[in-house]
Amino acid sequence: MAQPEKKAGLLKRTSSSKKPLKEKVLLMYEQIFTEDPSKSNPRFWDELFLMKVNLEYLEGKLESLDGDEVMKVKDNINSLFQHCVQALAEEHQIRVVNALQTLCALFRGVHQKNRSATGFDIINMLMGFDKAELRMKELMESLDALLCGDGSQSLKSLCLKLLLCLVTVTDNISQNTILEYVMINSIFEAILQILSDVSSRAQHGYDAVVLLALLVNYRKYESVNPYIVKLSIVDDEPTLDGMGMVIHHALTEYNRQYRDKEEENQGGFFSTLTSMVGSMFIADADEKLSVQTNEAILLALYEAVHLNRNFITVLAQSHPEMDMAAAPAVPVPSSPATPLGTTPPSLDLMNNPELPLDPNLQTSNLLITFLKYSSIVMQDTKDEHRLNSARLCLIILTCIAEDQYADAFLHDDNMNFRVNLHRMPMRHRKKALDKNIPSRPLVCAVLDLMVEFIITHMMKEFPMDLYVRCIQIIHKLICYQKKCRVRMHYTWRELWSALINLLKFLLSNETILLSKHNIFQLALQVVNLFNMFITYGDTFLPTPSSYDELYYEIIRMHQVFDNLYCMVLRVSTNAGQWKEPASKVTHALVNVRAIINHFNPKIESYAAVNHISQLSEDQVLEVVRSNYDTLTLKLQDALDQFERYSEQPREAGFFKELVRSISLNVRKNVSLSTMSQDVLLKEFSSIS
C-alpha cells in the first residue's frame, strides 16, 4: 500500500513543477521582436490575425524596448503595421477585428515608450519614412470604407475607437505628427454620414462627434486644417440635425444624472437636519451633487456654433422634453465604462428624431438643454474642470448672443418656453417650484442665468474672467434689443439689483481684488450697462414705468454709486497702473451722478414740504416723473458698440489646455475598454 502512495506523491510533484504553457499568440509576438517571423513560417501573418490579440502584452513589450532594441526590430514592427493594414481589406471579420486592435496597441505602445521622441521618429518606428505616406493612405481608406459600408456596427465602433486612440496618443494633439496623414486623407465625410443616418448615429454618434471636435483642434492656429474648413460650410440639414441630437442627448444625460443625485439628497434625515440647522451642510450637499463635467461634448457644441452659422438653426428646433430614464430601453452594444457625466446617451432617443407630440408635454430644444447644463456647471467654479466648463459655456453664449439669427429666435414672442434652471442653495431664498416658472422667450432664461451667476459668485477667489464674459453677454443682448426695438417683458429690476450689488462687492474688496485683477474694467462694463438703460431704455424697456423704476433703483442705491465715484476719483488722481482705467469709470459715471444729484434734492424737498420722514416707492416715483423735464444728460458715444468674439489670439491658450485635458480623458476611456474583445470575437466567430 505504501508504494502506490509514494508513486502518487511523485506524480503530484512532477505535474506541479511544469511551467505553464504560453499562449500561442505570445510566442508569435516574441518572434516578431527577435527575428523575421515569416522566414520560419511563410503563413505567419495569416495565422497571427486569427489569434485573439493580447493588448496588454503587446503594448508592454513595445514600452519595454529601449532605443537600440527598437532599431533592431524596426523592420519587423514596420512589417507588422503593414500586415495589419492589409488585413483590414480582408473579408474574414475576425482578421479585421484583430488587425484593428493590434494597430491600437502599436500606436499606444510606441508612443508610451517614446514620449520624448519626435513625431518623425515615431513614424519611422511604426511604418518607416519611405512607406509612411502609402501606409497611412491605405489605412485611412480602409477605415473610411469600413465606416461607410454596410458591415457590422461593432466593427464601425472599433474603427472609431482606433481613430480616437490615434488622435489622443500624445498629450498635445498638435504634436502628433501622424495626424498630418489624417488631414491629407480626410474621414470628414465618413463622420458626417454617421451623423446623418439615424441608425449609425444612435450607435456611434457620440464617438463621431468627439472625434470631429478633436480633429478640428489639430494645429488650428498654425496651418489650414481641412476639418475646420469643411465643418464651416456644411449645410446639409440631416447632418447638422444629427450632430445637434448627439450633443443634445449627451447634455440631457448629464442633466438627468445631476437631477437624480439632487433627488437622492432630498428627503430623509439629511434634508430635515439641513433645514433645521440652516446652511451648515450646503457645502457637503454640493460635494455629493458633483457630477463629472463633459468638456468633450461641450467643445463639439462650441466648434459647431462658432464655425458653422447654419448650426444656429439647430439650437432652436423644438421637440418633446422626455425623461431619458423613463424612456423604453433598447439593446445597447457593449462599450467601455465611462465616468459619470461622459456616458454616451441611450440609443432609443437618438433613434427617434420625430416623436409624437403631446399638447400637454413641455417642448424643449438644444439651447434649453444647454442652458440647464450651464446652470449646473456654473454653480461651483472652484474645481478646474467645472471652471473650464463654465468658461466654455459663457464663450458659447457669447457666440450665440452676437448672432443675428440666434438673437431673433431668442427674442421671438411666439416661441415661449418654461426653462427650469438649477440654482445654487442659498440661505436667504427658497427653492423655486417648477410649476411657478413662467413660459417666456428664451432670452429671459439667458438673462436669468447671467443674473444667477452674478449674485452667487461674489467670493474671495473672484472669477473675474467669467464676470467680464457674463456682462458682455448681457450687453450684446441689450444692443440687439435697442437696435431692433424689442420690448422684453423681463424683471429688469433683478438685473439692476444684481449689478449694483456687484459694484458694492468690488468696493468692499478693493484692496484684495486689485492685487489680482483690473476691477475697473468690470466696473466700467457695469456702469455702461446702466448708461445703455439710461440713454436708450425708452426704445427697449417694456413700459414707461420700467424706465421710472430704473431711476428709482439708481436713486435708492445712490450710496454705492457715490462710493464708486469717490474710489475711482481717488485712484485716477494718483499716479499708478490703474490711473487710466479708473479715469474711464469716472467719465462713465457722469449721467448716473447727474440723475442722483438732480433728483435727490427734489426728493428731500418733497419730504420736507409734506412732512414725511421716509417716502414710499410710489412717492419717489411721483417726484421722478414730475422732474424729468429739468434733467440734463450727456449723450455718450459707442454705448451700443461691442467687440466681436475672436478665438485667436485671446482664447488660444485656453483651448490648447482644454483640448489637452479632453485628450487625456478620451485616451483613458479608450484604454479602459480592451475594445470589448470577447464580445467582438464571439460575434464574428458566429458570423464566420
Side-chain angles (χ1 to χ4, degrees):
M1 292 293 293
Q3 198 168 352
E5 282 180 21
K6 187 176 181 183
K7 188 175 179 183
L10 285 169
L11 284 170
K12 192 174 181 181
R13 281 198 299 273
T14 306
S15 63
S16 65
S17 65
K18 282 185 181 177
K19 290 183 179 178
L21 290 170
K22 271 193 176 180
E23 291 178 61
K24 185 177 179 183
V25 73
L26 300 188
L27 295 170
M28 296 181 84
Y29 288 156
E30 285 181 0
Q31 279 185 272
I32 295 170
F33 292 106
T34 53
E35 60 188 34
D36 180 355
S38 59
K39 282 183 180 178
S40 56
N41 179 6
R43 290 186 50 78
F44 178 86
W45 298 113
D46 290 332
E47 292 174 9
L48 178 66
F49 294 112
L50 290 173
M51 302 286 170
K52 179 181 172 183
V53 179
N54 190 318
L55 285 166
E56 189 178 350
Y57 179 88
L58 189 53
E59 282 183 47
K61 187 68 178 175
L62 287 163
E63 288 176 38
S64 68
L65 298 175
D66 61 29
D68 293 336
E69 288 173 317
V70 168
M71 293 316 294
K72 282 178 187 175
V73 295
K74 184 185 85 69
D75 289 345
N76 289 1
I77 294 172
N78 292 171
S79 187
L80 175 58
F81 191 94
Q82 176 190 349
H83 284 91
C84 283
V85 173
Q86 287 174 354
L88 296 183
E90 294 201 22
E91 290 184 12
H92 199 302
Q93 302 283 273
I94 289 283
R95 293 182 190 277
V96 179
V97 169
N98 288 328
L100 287 167
Q101 295 193 357
T102 304
L103 282 167
C104 190
L106 278 170
F107 284 129
R108 281 206 299 242
V110 170
H111 276 89
Q112 285 293 334
K113 175 63 183 177
N114 301 280
R115 287 202 170 276
S116 59
T118 66
F120 298 107
D121 288 338
I122 285 171
I123 290 169
N124 196 31
M125 285 179 216
L126 281 169
M127 298 166 260
F129 279 135
D130 53 338
K131 301 289 185 184
E133 194 171 328
L134 175 62
R135 295 284 175 265
M136 285 303 297
K137 182 174 184 291
E138 291 170 343
L139 172 61
M140 297 308 294
E141 284 176 353
S142 292
L143 293 175
D144 187 80
L146 288 166
L147 287 171
C148 296
D150 298 326
S152 157
Q153 296 298 333
S154 298
L155 210 53
K156 291 184 181 185
S157 179
L158 201 50
C159 290
L160 288 168
K161 290 287 189 285
L162 172 61
L163 286 163
L164 285 170
C165 170
L166 170 58
V167 171
T168 61
V169 283
T170 55
D171 293 351
N172 181 348
I173 66 168
S174 293
Q175 291 175 353
N176 186 351
T177 314
I178 296 177
L179 292 187
E180 285 297 329
Y181 300 109
V182 183
M183 297 294 118
I184 297 165
N185 304 287
S186 174
I187 50 154
F188 183 80
E189 285 70 23
I191 293 172
L192 294 198
Q193 186 172 317
I194 288 168
L195 295 175
S196 62
D197 179 74
V198 174
S199 175
S200 64
R201 177 172 69 239
Q203 299 275 346
H204 319 296
Y206 184 85
D207 282 346
V209 162
V210 172
L211 176 63
L212 180 59
L214 289 169
L215 288 171
V216 161
N217 280 276
Y218 174 73
R219 295 188 180 172
K220 70 192 305 189
Y221 309 119
E222 299 149 39
S223 59
V224 177
N225 180 322
Y227 290 84
I228 292 177
V229 177
K230 290 179 178 181
L231 179 58
S232 67
I233 58 174
V234 174
D235 58 1
D236 180 60
E237 198 173 320
T239 302
L240 293 172
D241 289 348
M243 187 184 298
M245 290 192 94
V246 172
I247 296 169
H248 174 263
H249 292 306
L251 296 180
T252 299
E253 176 65 15
Y254 178 93
N255 295 347
R256 185 192 62 76
Q257 289 177 10
Y258 181 85
R259 191 191 64 224
D260 289 349
K261 281 206 157 196
E262 194 175 40
E263 287 172 0
E264 278 176 30
N265 283 275
Q266 289 172 356
F269 175 73
F270 179 82
S271 177
T272 308
L273 195 60
T274 305
S275 61
M276 286 167 57
V277 183
S279 66
M280 268 174 67
F281 295 103
I282 281 175
D284 295 332
D286 284 345
E287 289 286 322
K288 291 180 183 179
L289 290 180
S290 178
V291 179
Q292 185 173 336
T293 51
N294 191 341
E295 284 93 358
I297 213 74
L298 208 57
L299 178 66
L301 175 60
Y302 164 74
E303 297 296 357
V305 168
H306 178 232
L307 294 174
N308 192 305
R309 288 211 63 206
N310 299 313
F311 189 79
I312 293 292
T313 60
V314 176
L315 295 174
Q317 284 186 359
S318 297
H319 51 77
E321 187 171 61
M322 288 189 66
D323 185 344
M324 293 188 73
V330 295
V332 181
S334 177
S335 59
T338 50
L340 202 59
T342 61
T343 315
S346 58
L347 309 183
D348 49 303
L349 289 179
M350 285 206 255
N351 262 323
N352 292 282
E354 294 181 13
L355 295 158
L357 282 171
D358 179 343
N360 300 314
L361 193 63
Q362 161 75 1
T363 54
S364 183
N365 56 40
L366 175 54
L367 182 56
I368 292 172
T369 304
F370 168 65
L371 290 173
K372 289 180 180 180
Y373 176 92
S374 301
S375 71
I376 296 169
V377 299
M378 285 164 63
Q379 285 184 34
D380 176 17
T381 55
K382 291 172 187 171
D383 168 73
E384 186 183 356
H385 287 291
R386 292 171 80 86
L387 179 66
N388 286 339
S389 268
R391 185 174 179 181
L392 190 48
C393 287
L394 289 172
I395 291 173
I396 293 168
L397 283 171
T398 300
C399 294
I400 291 170
E402 61 184 43
D403 183 273
Q404 283 287 103
Y405 180 81
D407 281 327
F409 76 70
L410 281 174
H411 293 83
D412 190 340
D413 219 12
N414 297 313
M415 291 175 63
N416 293 327
F417 297 91
R418 191 173 288 109
V419 184
N420 181 24
L421 298 175
H422 293 263
R423 298 175 187 272
M424 190 183 289
M426 297 179 80
R427 271 178 293 183
H428 63 274
R429 67 177 181 187
K430 292 180 180 178
K431 184 173 169 36
L433 297 173
D434 293 3
K435 63 184 179 183
N436 295 336
I437 299 166
S439 190
R440 304 172 295 171
L442 281 173
V443 69
C444 298
V446 178
L447 290 169
D448 282 349
L449 183 62
M450 298 301 100
V451 169
E452 176 68 11
F453 180 83
I454 291 169
I455 63 177
T456 55
H457 288 76
M458 297 182 219
M459 51 195 180
K460 200 175 287 184
E461 291 299 318
F462 189 68
M464 173 63 81
D465 175 72
L466 301 188
Y467 267 96
V468 168
R469 293 176 193 279
C470 185
I471 303 301
Q472 285 173 343
I473 290 165
I474 297 168
H475 179 239
K476 288 173 181 179
L477 292 172
I478 292 173
C479 286
Y480 174 83
Q481 292 170 19
K482 178 257 174 185
K483 178 185 172 183
C484 298
R485 295 183 172 266
V486 179
R487 296 188 183 275
M488 292 307 306
H489 288 272
Y490 181 71
T491 49
W492 292 108
R493 266 194 167 181
E494 290 182 8
L495 172 62
W496 300 330
S497 175
L499 293 172
I500 292 169
N501 282 328
L502 175 56
L503 291 176
K504 196 174 178 181
F505 174 81
L506 295 179
L507 288 166
S508 303
N509 297 274
E510 174 195 347
T511 308
I512 298 167
L513 293 175
L514 266 180
S515 64
K516 300 176 184 177
H517 309 291
N518 175 7
I519 62 171
F520 302 105
Q521 176 196 6
L522 182 58
L524 180 63
Q525 284 183 308
V526 172
V527 171
N528 277 338
L529 270 186
F530 278 103
N531 285 329
M532 275 287 288
F533 282 104
I534 292 165
T535 310
Y536 303 116
D538 59 326
T539 65
F540 62 84
L541 286 172
T543 60
S545 63
S546 302
Y547 197 72
D548 302 338
E549 287 166 6
L550 167 69
Y551 278 59
Y552 174 80
E553 285 300 312
I554 292 171
I555 295 161
R556 185 175 72 86
M557 300 300 289
H558 72 88
Q559 196 64 55
V560 175
F561 292 105
D562 292 343
N563 292 344
L564 176 63
Y565 181 75
C566 291
M567 188 264 274
V568 293
L569 190 64
R570 166 172 50 82
V571 175
S572 62
T573 51
N574 294 321
Q577 69 177 115
W578 306 120
K579 181 181 174 68
E580 188 179 341
S583 65
K584 288 181 181 177
V585 183
T586 309
H587 296 311
L589 280 166
V590 61
N591 281 342
V592 173
R593 296 190 70 244
I595 291 167
I596 293 166
N597 294 335
H598 175 75
F599 286 106
N600 265 355
K602 290 179 169 47
I603 290 167
E604 288 168 9
S605 172
Y606 181 92
V609 168
N610 293 281
H611 307 289
I612 304 169
S613 59
Q614 191 169 356
L615 270 63
S616 67
E617 180 177 334
D618 288 339
Q619 289 168 328
V620 173
L621 287 171
E622 185 185 330
V623 175
V624 168
R625 290 187 191 104
S626 57
N627 287 281
Y628 274 134
D629 294 346
T630 51
L631 173 65
T632 304
L633 297 174
K634 288 188 177 179
L635 188 63
Q636 294 176 307
D637 295 330
L639 288 175
D640 57 345
Q641 304 296 311
F642 57 80
E643 184 182 352
R644 292 189 68 83
Y645 170 78
S646 175
E647 184 181 317
Q648 172 76 340
R650 190 173 296 172
E651 312 293 350
F654 166 70
F655 279 103
K656 280 180 181 176
E657 286 307 309
L658 180 72
V659 172
R660 179 190 293 267
S661 171
I662 291 168
S663 180
L664 288 168
N665 198 39
V666 171
R667 184 202 307 165
K668 180 177 70 177
N669 290 335
V670 173
S671 300
L672 279 172
S673 73
T674 328
M675 314 293 184
S676 311
Q677 270 185 299
D678 293 327
V679 175
L680 282 164
L681 292 174
K682 186 177 179 182
E683 177 185 339
F684 294 116
S685 295
S686 61
I687 292 171
S688 305

